[in-house]
Amino acid sequence: MVKIDLITGFLGSGKTTFLRKYASHLIAQGQNIGILENDFGAVNVDMMLLGDLRGDNCELEMISGGCDTDTHRRRFKTKLISMGMCGYDRVIVEPSGIYDVDEFFDTLYEEPLDGWYQIGNVITVLDSNLEDDLPEGAEFLLASQAANAGCVVLSKTQETTEEEQKNAVSHLNRSLKNIGCKRQFDEVFTKDWDKLTDEDFKQLLSCGYHMENYRKPDQTQEKTFQSLYFMNMHLTEKKLREAAKKLFLDKSCGKIFRIKGFMKNEKEQWI
C-alpha cells in the first residue's frame, strides 16, 4: 500500500516551506514520491514554490478550487485514484490553510482508496508568531487541524522568543478546549528547520496520527473565509506594495488575512 501523509496548518503557518524540507529528505533517501497540492484557490500558488522538486523521484499534482465543496472533494478523490496507479512509495498532501481535515480521512476510508493507501503521518505546522485575535471560524480550523496530528511542528522559531512560542502552543490548547477536544499539547517540535538531522526526520516520519473527537460549528470555512482572484495585473512592484498596504488598512474591504501570489515586476523578474 502507498503511504500517504498530510501536511496541514492554518493560513501562513509555513506548510510549503516545511514540505520542501520533508520532501527533499525523502527524495535524498531514494523514495519515489508524489506531492498533491490541494487548494481552494482558483490557481495553486504553492505549486510554483515547489517546482524545482520535480524530477525522477518526485512528481507534483494539484487540485485548484474555485468550485463548491462537493466538487472539490470529488476532484480530490479522483486525483488520489490516478496517483494510486503511479507506483509511488509515498504521497504527500498539502491542503489549503482553511482545510477541513475530515475531508482527508473521509476520502481515504472510501473504496477503492481504502485498499490502496495507508495513512502515514499527519503533521501540523503551527506559526510560533500566531495572531492572538482570530475569528471564531479560524479558531476552529486552527484546533481541528492539530487535533489528529501525530506531531505539531513550530515554524519561524528563529524569529520568535521562547515566550512567544509558548504563547502559540497555549493558544492552540485553548482552541482545542473550546471545540470540546480533550487533547492538549505539552510538547511540540521546535527545532530550526535548517538544522534538521536524519534523526529528526526519523522522528517526524514515524509520528503517525491520532483520532480525536471534537465539536464542529455550523459555520463552515467557506462562510468564514472568501477568496478573491485577480489575474494579469499590470502594476509596478512599488505600486503593488502600496496597494497591498492600503487594502489591509481599509476597513471597508473587510478583514483581509492574506494577499498571496506571483507577478512579474518591471524587470520581468518573478516576485
Side-chain angles (χ1 to χ4, degrees), residues 17-265:
T17 304
F18 176 78
L19 173 57
R20 286 183 62 84
K21 304 286 186 183
Y22 190 79
S24 295
H25 174 79
L26 292 169
I27 294 168
Q29 298 297 310
Q31 289 203 32
N32 183 23
I33 65 171
I35 297 174
L36 177 56
E37 288 289 315
N38 182 15
D39 207 346
F40 288 105
V43 166
N44 199 312
V45 175
D46 290 333
M47 188 83 165
M48 295 183 72
L49 293 171
L50 298 171
D52 61 320
L53 290 178
R54 184 182 277 115
D56 293 341
N57 289 85
C58 179
E59 284 295 335
L60 303 179
E61 300 284 352
M62 74 173 184
I63 302 168
S64 292
C67 55
D68 61 87
T69 303
D70 289 340
T71 301
H72 184 268
R73 289 184 176 185
R74 284 197 301 273
R75 289 178 181 176
F76 181 44
K77 181 177 181 179
T78 301
K79 184 63 75 172
L80 286 179
I81 289 173
S82 65
M83 293 180 77
M85 299 185 230
C86 293
Y88 296 121
D89 298 310
R90 189 181 295 262
V91 168
I92 306 169
V93 178
E94 184 198 4
S96 160
I98 58 171
Y99 185 68
D100 183 347
V101 295
D102 280 350
E103 177 182 324
F104 176 77
F105 290 104
D106 290 347
T107 303
L108 287 162
Y109 290 148
E110 295 178 7
E111 294 183 339
L113 299 179
D114 59 347
W116 293 3
Y117 287 96
Q118 177 186 358
I119 300 174
N121 306 306
V122 175
I123 299 174
T124 298
V125 180
L126 175 66
D127 190 343
S128 63
N129 196 23
L130 185 65
E131 222 182 291
D132 287 330
D133 184 23
L134 293 176
E136 183 180 352
E139 290 285 354
F140 166 74
L141 289 165
L142 174 71
S144 62
Q145 290 171 358
N148 297 320
C151 181
V152 170
V153 176
L154 269 188
S155 66
K156 308 171 190 173
T157 54
Q158 311 95 310
E159 306 168 12
T160 54
T161 65
E162 189 174 329
E163 186 65 26
E164 288 171 327
Q165 294 166 23
K166 288 180 179 178
N167 289 339
V169 177
S170 296
H171 187 160
L172 172 61
N173 285 331
R174 288 195 304 273
S175 299
L176 286 162
K177 187 176 181 180
N178 288 339
I179 63 171
C181 182
K182 295 180 179 178
R183 191 171 186 201
Q184 295 283 280
F185 288 91
D186 297 322
E187 293 184 4
V188 296
F189 191 92
T190 59
K191 192 163 183 180
D192 183 342
W193 296 352
D194 290 330
K195 300 177 182 177
L196 295 178
T197 64
D198 287 347
E199 198 60 35
D200 293 325
F201 281 113
K202 184 177 179 181
Q203 177 185 340
L204 291 167
L205 285 162
S206 61
C207 70
Y209 65 98
H210 291 249
M211 293 303 294
E212 297 287 338
N213 294 321
Y214 52 85
R215 293 189 305 271
K216 296 190 74 170
D218 293 332
Q219 189 176 40
T220 63
Q221 73 269 29
E222 289 87 353
K223 294 179 181 178
T224 303
F225 295 93
Q226 293 179 330
S227 295
L228 295 175
Y229 171 57
F230 300 92
M231 186 174 178
N232 297 330
M233 296 175 63
H234 300 287
L235 293 173
T236 64
E237 185 171 351
K238 181 181 177 182
K239 289 289 186 183
L240 174 64
R241 291 181 183 276
E242 290 173 353
K245 185 176 181 180
K246 185 176 179 181
L247 285 168
F248 276 117
L249 294 173
D250 189 346
K251 293 183 179 179
S252 69
C253 294
K255 182 174 175 60
I256 296 178
F257 196 91
R258 196 177 196 192
I259 299 173
K260 179 179 181 181
F262 285 89
M263 63 177 284
K264 284 187 176 181
N265 62 15

